[in-house]
Amino acid sequence: MAAPDARPSSAGPPPARSLLLPLLLVLLLAAYSLPADSAARPSSNSNPRPAFTPPLLKRHQLRRPSSSSAELVAGPANASTKPFTAHYFPQLLDHFAFTPNASTVFRHKYLLNDTFWRRPGAGAGDDGPGPLFVYTGNEGDIEWFATNTGFMFDIAPTFGALLVFIEHRFYGESKPFGNDSYRSAETLGYLTSTQALADFAVVIRGLKRDLGAEAAPVVVFGGSYGGMLASWFRLKYPHVAIGALASSAPILQFDHITPWSSFYDAVSQDFKSESSNCFGVIRAAWDVLDERGATDKGLLDLSKLFRACKTVKYAYSIRNWLWTAFTYTAMMCKTIDAFPAGADVLEKAFAAASLYYNYTGDQACNKIEDGDDPHGLDGWQWQACTEMIMPMTISNESMFPPSAFSYDDRSDECFQSWGVRPRPHWITTEYGGYKIDKVLKRFGSNIIFSNGMRDPWSRGGVLKNISSSIIALVTEKGAHHLDLRSSTKGDPDWLIEQRRQEVEIIQGWIDQYHQDMAETSS
């Protein structure tokens, strides 16, 4: 999960439309949460990519599909190399209006894996077809999430489940206006969480109808922003999904529900617990970077030190590059501590950040400015300037430079970039959040909120059971939606147990669903 850019504006001019880092997408290095004996080995689950690179939109020629809401168009995915096939659904542009534009449709991508699905009428017995396990897509290319959500593939055989991964509108290939989707507020105005949830509901209902699986129960899964959407989907569409696994979902990171400094306090504490020296080096690096980057010669020297692919224009860009890396993994403290005490602070910082960006060592240079957007993250800039307003500050005790948050400043920045002003309290108005324990206890059910306390986003998550069916699974060493990753032989016992509990709870939901259906039919 990426961190919002809480840095003060005096740090230098950011690249165009980069007010915030994309919020929730980046999957952490597995070593961030695992015991020390596993930290030294690369993991097939690790993804040491930067959280944010300046935008370069993916080019996709939009073709208008037929108006049939049940049309399924086979996609180009190669089943021999990928564990899923791509399909496209003719999705409505606007679910909440009846204006002429509302009925416009776009190609909405989703992925299927039916390898283990218990199909209708195929010896299903009294239980009918197997369940649909649906991933509610995040802010990026859905194939990335499907590839990094191995837990669903791991448990599909147990349940005889059909796996469905639905892309979030305006990301990946699901761009309603093709190449022009990010053109202006006129097009981006259709990029909202409520529209996305409605998309998911329409795809699920259409898919069940097409497959003759109307009786199949549906469980939604999601990690990070996708986890937020999964929990909100269960609350908004309880007739569509019988339950939700929301992993690392900071649904309480809005308004004044969670202390604004909690995210960076948690990151700093993680580093300090690993090494006080490491904490001190990072804390000192920011002032040194600003001082050296104040002149053209200094920027040239910094570009060489950080092996930039081309000379950087702003010290802010290097700060942003370092900031992203240091947000994600305290594993890099071992690299910092290996330097002699008198070594240059920025050399230490660069070596540590390289572990994050260039884990395999095969990159000749670093795209610190003018990089690409390989996973289609750029739409988050819009969301972070409209409804996804998560206030964050940095205290004097943090290893990051102190900074404040102002709703007015955020509003002005967003208006300058997009011509719109945020609705900072809309999320809590639409989905709730205040006194969530008392509110959801009265009407909510069947949600698992899983969090690992090594994940700084956990502070904005649900960390205590709300009721007998709204369960908080909290692990001391867990990282950002680690439970959704594929299982490995090296998984620690606490992670194995966490997943076992999730499977047990989901099985209970499905058993209760079939029991209710049997009672109704009799």
Side-chain angles (χ1 to χ4, degrees):
M1 179 186 304
D5 186 350
R7 288 157 289 179
S9 58
S10 60
R17 292 187 177 178
S18 64
L19 296 172
L20 300 168
L21 302 180
L23 172 62
L24 308 166
L25 184 57
V26 172
L27 302 167
L28 303 185
L29 288 169
Y32 178 64
S33 65
L34 299 181
D37 59 357
S38 63
R41 56 178 174 83
S43 166
S44 60
N45 290 335
S46 66
N47 190 349
R49 292 196 60 85
F52 171 74
T53 49
L56 175 65
L57 302 187
K58 299 174 80 173
R59 299 302 177 186
H60 173 67
Q61 184 62 41
L62 186 68
R63 180 177 66 83
R64 183 186 179 93
S66 71
S67 60
S68 169
S69 64
E71 180 193 30
L72 305 178
V73 184
N78 184 346
S80 66
T81 59
K82 298 180 180 180
F84 43 73
T85 56
H87 304 265
Y88 298 85
F89 188 93
Q91 189 63 264
L92 280 177
L93 176 63
D94 189 349
H95 298 285
F96 305 109
F98 289 89
T99 60
N101 283 342
S103 59
T104 300
V105 295
F106 65 94
R107 282 164 54 89
H108 188 185
K109 185 176 182 179
Y110 66 96
L111 309 176
L112 288 182
N113 179 295
D114 62 357
T115 305
F116 303 102
W117 188 38
R118 189 173 65 246
R119 294 177 177 276
D126 293 338
D127 286 345
L132 274 65
F133 286 173
V134 179
Y135 189 94
T136 51
N138 302 48
E139 68 287 23
D141 186 338
I142 191 59
E143 294 197 9
W144 195 20
F145 295 104
T147 301
N148 287 284
T149 310
F151 176 67
M152 292 175 63
F153 292 91
D154 290 345
I155 67 174
T158 300
F159 291 93
L162 173 68
L163 302 184
V164 186
F165 297 83
I166 309 177
E167 196 160 68
H168 195 299
R169 60 167 52 201
F170 282 84
Y171 293 102
E173 293 184 60
S174 301
K175 294 186 172 68
F177 301 96
N179 296 341
D180 294 329
S181 294
Y182 294 174
R183 182 183 65 232
S184 68
E186 293 295 324
T187 53
L188 280 166
Y190 297 100
L191 172 52
T192 68
S193 60
T194 50
Q195 295 280 8
L197 293 179
D199 288 342
F200 299 152
V202 170
V203 171
I204 292 170
R205 294 194 64 188
L207 187 59
K208 290 178 68 176
R209 181 174 59 247
D210 275 10
L211 295 173
E214 294 279 15
V218 175
V219 177
V220 291
F221 297 72
S224 207
Y225 173 50
M228 299 163 76
L229 293 171
S231 65
W232 293 337
F233 189 86
R234 169 59 184 164
L235 297 176
K236 290 292 186 179
Y237 296 93
H239 54 292
V240 178
I242 66 168
L245 169 53
S247 179
S248 299
I251 61 171
L252 306 181
Q253 197 75 50
F254 299 90
D255 289 358
H256 292 275
I257 303 173
T258 299
W260 290 1
S261 66
S262 63
F263 180 93
Y264 285 106
D265 285 348
V267 175
S268 297
Q269 183 56 45
D270 281 348
F271 275 79
K272 185 178 287 187
S273 67
E274 289 292 320
S275 164
S276 59
N277 172 66
C278 176
F279 174 91
V281 167
I282 295 172
R283 190 174 189 181
W286 312 112
D287 287 342
V288 176
L289 179 61
D290 288 344
E291 179 181 352
R292 295 189 189 176
T295 65
D296 290 341
K297 182 182 183 302
L299 288 173
L300 180 61
D301 292 341
L302 288 173
S303 300
K304 293 177 180 178
L305 173 61
F306 285 88
R307 297 181 186 174
C309 293
K310 61 180 182 179
T311 303
V312 297
K313 299 177 181 178
Y314 308 109
Y316 178 97
S317 301
I318 298 176
R319 171 186 275 215
N320 190 40
W321 190 80
L322 289 174
W323 195 291
T324 298
F326 293 152
T327 299
Y328 291 116
T329 172
M331 171 184 172
M332 58 185 60
C333 279
K334 292 183 179 180
T335 299
I336 289 177
D337 288 346
F339 277 81
D344 182 79
V345 167
L346 293 186
E347 287 185 11
K348 297 178 185 179
F350 168 71
S354 293
L355 181 66
Y356 175 82
Y357 287 111
N358 192 16
Y359 191 81
T360 59
D362 59 356
Q363 295 189 37
C365 63
N366 297 301
K367 294 182 179 179
I368 295 176
E369 291 178 340
D370 300 327
D372 58 6
D373 182 20
H375 298 292
L377 304 174
D378 194 51
W380 185 258
Q381 309 300 328
W382 166 266
Q383 289 192 261
C385 267
T386 50
E387 59 179 0
M388 303 300 292
I389 307 299
M390 299 183 177
M392 290 194 177
T393 59
I394 303 179
S395 69
N396 291 328
E397 303 304 314
S398 172
M399 68 180 189
F400 296 95
S403 73
F405 177 87
S406 164
Y407 281 113
D408 289 341
D409 288 347
R410 171 66 60 79
S411 179
D412 290 342
E413 291 170 349
C414 292
F415 186 79
Q416 181 180 4
S417 291
W418 299 103
V420 300
R421 293 192 181 277
R423 297 176 185 172
H425 310 295
W426 171 245
I427 290 294
T428 52
T429 301
E430 177 69 9
Y431 304 114
Y434 284 105
K435 299 182 179 178
I436 193 170
D437 54 337
K438 296 178 176 60
V439 174
L440 290 192
K441 186 176 182 179
R442 291 197 296 269
F443 82 93
S445 64
N446 291 9
I447 304 174
I448 301 169
F449 289 103
S450 65
N451 282 282
M453 297 309 291
R454 293 299 299 271
D455 172 16
W457 285 108
S458 64
R459 277 55 173 184
V462 176
L463 302 179
K464 294 182 179 179
N465 291 350
I466 291 177
S467 69
S468 60
S469 67
I470 301 182
I471 306 299
L473 297 180
V474 181
T475 57
E476 180 183 352
K477 297 180 180 179
H480 197 54
H481 54 88
L482 183 64
D483 54 323
L484 293 186
R485 308 304 295 273
S486 297
S487 62
T488 69
K489 293 181 179 179
D491 287 340
D493 290 343
W494 58 262
L495 179 57
I496 295 171
E497 172 62 16
Q498 180 184 17
R499 290 172 175 151
R500 186 200 65 78
Q501 291 182 62
E502 291 170 351
V503 169
E504 182 179 13
I505 293 169
I506 293 169
Q507 184 65 67
W509 296 342
I510 294 174
D511 290 345
Q512 185 63 54
Y513 170 82
H514 289 306
Q515 180 180 331
D516 293 344
M517 293 293 286
E519 293 175 355
T520 301
S521 61
S522 62

